[in-house]
Amino acid sequence: MENRQTRPIGIFDSGVGGLTVMRAIIERMPGEDLIYLGDTARVPYGNRGAETVRCYAVNAAALLERHQIKALVVACNTASAYGLAALRDKLSIPVFGVISPVARRAAILSESGSIAVLGTRGTIRSRAYQRALLELRPELDVHPVACPLLVPLAEEGWLDGTVTQQVLEHYLADLVPTEVDTLILGCTHYPILRDAIAGVTERLLTGPTTLLDSARATAEAVAQKLGDAGLLKETDAEGTRQFLLTDLPEGFVETAERFFGRPLQQECEHVDIVDTTGE
Amino acid sequence: MENRQTRPIGIFDSGVGGLTVMRAIIERMPGEDLIYLGDTARVPYGNRGAETVRCYAVNAAALLERHQIKALVVACNTASAYGLAALRDKLSIPVFGVISPVARRAAILSESGSIAVLGTRGTIRSRAYQRALLELRPELDVHPVACPLLVPLAEEGWLDGTVTQQVLEHYLADLVPTEVDTLILGCTHYPILRDAIAGVTERLLTGPTTLLDSARATAEAVAQKLGDAGLLKETDAEGTRQFLLTDLPEGFVETAERFFGRPLQQECEHVDIVDTTGE
């Protein structure tokens, strides 16, 4: 039997946000070979219908399967909310979303039982984090906070400064009278705004708060499960990284490197995903 | 021969921005029947390749042609930059873009010969306004200003206040040492930010400046050309309005009404556009 440990891990997102998840996976498991697929031709998924998103996710997974991946990480909140069940039905490899891992950590860590979820309008509307949290601890008090301007601010690199701080103060104002002690960064774009969010949170909220990002929590869940299954590559050598994109807009690499936190080094490769939504 | 004057005018945009153009057309020609087609399933066009945008525009026009339109207004900067020639080749009715009309007004009005163009990153990168202006007055000094955060701010309804002002101050800072006396709002989203842009411009720039928006200039061009061709509907009655959308995301109507400047009244109708990009 072929050695499954040495196969790559596939990571799929609608755009660049998932690169924060890839970065967290590299930090946690530097030896793993990784293939990132960004569906930049169809980004953003947030406003698409559930059936469309499910179809996009299945088509993307089919492309990554041809690269003999040993596990799939759906590093996109919308695709995690709508596509995970369909992917687990279709694939015979472990499939990870970005929602459950961080929800589990938040449910364990919160002492006050009051948790805030920051996300895009689409993610908040899907109630995916709310459902995941209440399934784990039904008595939790969950405060959803839609933060639609954070993705454009992050993509434009406005990571700190008064504009971003004022936008955050606006979004987090409703949390002031609550007992929130745990904030979930429920969008793969938000880890690069972590310092700004921590600063405003500290200034606005009275008690100590914990910021949990889905990128790190997901990387930890992948490491745990692949470790338990004996699927981790045992090596000290740095793994390979590959970047597949369905569109290569100008300026992409600069934005991507902001999320990836390091130079991309490898060329980004253009790929087409078969679109079966109309079938 | 059927009376062509009484046919509707078709207006096409990738999303909601074109509603500012529709609004300007209603103000200029209240009696005209209008059909708006928003390709909300494929928005935003700004980062798509030129060939893809051209194909989307041709498919959208085919759908509007089935409604017997007497003229087509491409109320989208990206589609105007890349699709206009293809549309004029294929259609036998007048086709208007949003770029030439406002470029013509700016080229006539600017006394200093120094003109700023505010637009999305995609529009600025296409150099469509720059080319249009230089074709009209080759000695012009054109200052392109990419303002990527203005579309999300406008869509979220942050039309004034310190955040929007600070973002504008950041974008317009480079114009301070110039002799710019004319600013083109080169994005269909920007008319609803007109007051904020005017305020910051007045504070930052020394001389008097004129703000020109493509919505009003386009409406004027349509009125002129249809009038010259004897194609205007001669009536005192308010025309009918129809809204066709390729996707109906939740919260759409609220955002749309902000751009339209009045209640939509009619239901938005869901339509599918045949996608021939892959053929």
Side-chain angles (χ1 to χ4, degrees):
Chain A
M1 190 183 118
E2 198 204 340
N3 194 345
R4 284 175 65 201
Q5 286 97 325
T6 57
R7 291 186 185 178
I9 299 172
I11 303 167
F12 160 59
D13 180 34
S14 57
V16 292
L19 289 169
T20 62
V21 181
M22 182 163 180
R23 175 183 181 172
I25 290 175
I26 290 173
E27 278 161 15
R28 183 65 181 75
M29 297 165 279
E32 293 296 324
D33 296 338
L34 305 176
I35 303 182
Y36 186 88
L37 170 58
D39 192 10
T40 39
R42 292 176 188 79
V43 74
Y45 281 9
N47 277 333
R48 318 282 177 215
E51 188 46 51
T52 303
V53 170
R54 211 164 6 244
C55 196
Y56 287 171
V58 168
N59 294 336
L63 188 147
L64 282 169
E65 268 201 306
R66 292 201 291 279
H67 290 262
Q68 308 287 328
I69 53 174
K70 65 181 172 188
L72 174 65
V73 180
V74 182
C76 167
N77 279 279
T78 311
S80 292
Y82 297 122
L84 226 49
L87 290 171
R88 288 186 173 140
D89 270 359
K90 284 188 186 279
L91 305 185
S92 55
I93 53 173
V95 177
F96 301 87
V98 283
I99 295 170
S100 308
V102 74
R104 197 165 306 123
R105 277 191 62 72
I108 292 169
L109 288 175
S110 176
E111 288 182 13
S112 69
S114 191
I115 297 173
V117 180
L118 281 55
T120 63
R121 219 184 268 293
T123 298
I124 296 302
R125 202 185 284 134
S126 78
R127 300 183 60 81
Y129 281 93
Q130 293 99 305
R131 271 186 283 120
L133 287 166
L134 295 178
E135 213 172 282
L136 293 159
R137 250 177 93 178
E139 82 286 7
L140 282 177
D141 193 15
V142 182
H143 300 268
V145 187
C147 307
L149 288 171
L150 295 190
V151 165
L153 286 168
E155 292 203 348
E156 288 303 316
W158 293 47
L159 305 188
D160 214 319
T162 52
V163 165
T164 300
Q165 278 167 33
Q166 283 177 35
V167 169
L168 283 167
E169 280 165 18
H170 174 89
Y171 288 145
L172 301 180
D174 287 348
L175 299 180
V176 175
T178 69
E179 292 184 359
V180 161
D181 67 352
T182 309
L183 275 88
I184 294 179
L185 307 188
C187 171
T188 53
H189 280 68
Y190 297 174
I192 70 168
L193 295 167
R194 191 185 178 101
D195 290 347
I197 296 170
V200 172
T201 306
E202 202 170 306
R203 215 165 46 245
L204 280 188
L205 307 186
T206 44
T209 50
T210 310
L211 288 195
L212 296 176
D213 74 59
S214 51
R216 289 191 206 175
T218 302
E220 188 55 41
V222 174
Q224 288 278 345
K225 185 151 180 179
L226 294 192
D228 291 348
L231 281 174
L232 286 178
K233 198 170 146 192
E234 280 158 26
T235 174
D236 289 331
E238 182 90 359
T240 63
R241 294 91 178 70
Q242 199 177 345
F243 300 93
L244 312 177
L245 297 164
T246 54
D247 195 12
L248 283 172
E250 214 176 307
F252 174 82
V253 171
E254 191 193 336
T255 309
E257 290 183 341
R258 197 173 297 131
F259 287 87
F260 196 44
R262 56 178 82 191
L264 291 189
Q265 291 177 326
Q266 296 78 2
E267 288 284 304
C268 294
E269 199 176 317
H270 184 270
V271 292
D272 280 320
I273 295 184
V274 179
D275 188 345
T276 61
T277 45
E279 287 172 12
Chain B
M1 189 183 117
E2 198 203 340
N3 194 346
R4 284 175 64 201
Q5 285 97 324
T6 58
R7 292 186 185 176
I9 299 171
I11 303 166
F12 160 59
D13 180 34
S14 56
V16 292
L19 289 169
T20 61
V21 181
M22 182 163 179
R23 175 182 180 172
I25 290 175
I26 290 173
E27 279 160 16
R28 183 66 181 72
M29 297 165 280
E32 292 296 326
D33 297 338
L34 305 175
I35 303 182
Y36 186 88
L37 170 58
D39 192 10
T40 39
R42 293 177 188 78
V43 74
Y45 282 9
N47 278 332
R48 319 283 176 213
E51 188 46 53
T52 302
V53 170
R54 212 162 8 244
C55 196
Y56 287 171
V58 167
N59 294 336
L63 188 147
L64 282 169
E65 267 201 306
R66 292 201 290 279
H67 290 262
Q68 308 287 327
I69 54 174
K70 65 182 171 188
L72 174 66
V73 180
V74 182
C76 166
N77 278 279
T78 311
S80 292
Y82 298 122
L84 225 48
L87 290 171
R88 288 186 173 140
D89 270 359
K90 284 189 187 279
L91 305 185
S92 55
I93 54 173
V95 178
F96 300 87
V98 283
I99 295 170
S100 306
V102 74
R104 197 166 304 123
R105 278 191 61 73
I108 293 169
L109 288 175
S110 175
E111 288 183 12
S112 69
S114 190
I115 297 174
V117 180
L118 281 54
T120 63
R121 219 183 268 292
T123 298
I124 295 301
R125 201 185 286 134
S126 77
R127 300 183 60 82
Y129 281 93
Q130 293 98 306
R131 270 186 284 120
L133 287 165
L134 295 178
E135 212 172 283
L136 293 159
R137 252 177 90 180
E139 81 287 6
L140 282 176
D141 193 14
V142 182
H143 300 268
V145 187
C147 308
L149 288 171
L150 296 190
V151 165
L153 285 168
E155 293 204 346
E156 288 303 315
W158 293 46
L159 305 187
D160 214 321
T162 53
V163 165
T164 300
Q165 278 168 33
Q166 283 176 35
V167 169
L168 284 167
E169 279 165 17
H170 174 89
Y171 287 144
L172 301 180
D174 286 349
L175 299 180
V176 174
T178 69
E179 292 183 0
V180 160
D181 67 352
T182 309
L183 274 88
I184 293 179
L185 307 188
C187 171
T188 54
H189 280 68
Y190 297 174
I192 71 169
L193 295 167
R194 192 186 177 100
D195 290 347
I197 296 170
V200 171
T201 306
E202 203 169 304
R203 215 164 47 243
L204 279 188
L205 306 186
T206 45
T209 51
T210 309
L211 288 196
L212 297 176
D213 74 60
S214 51
R216 289 192 206 176
T218 302
E220 188 55 40
V222 174
Q224 288 278 346
K225 185 150 181 180
L226 294 192
D228 291 348
L231 280 174
L232 286 178
K233 198 170 146 193
E234 280 158 26
T235 173
D236 289 330
E238 182 89 0
T240 62
R241 293 90 178 73
Q242 198 177 345
F243 300 93
L244 312 178
L245 297 164
T246 55
D247 195 12
L248 283 172
E250 213 174 309
F252 174 81
V253 171
E254 191 192 339
T255 309
E257 290 183 341
R258 196 172 298 132
F259 287 87
F260 196 43
R262 57 177 84 191
L264 291 190
Q265 292 176 327
Q266 296 78 3
E267 287 285 302
C268 294
E269 198 177 318
H270 183 270
V271 292
D272 280 319
I273 296 185
V274 178
D275 188 345
T276 61
T277 46
E279 288 172 11

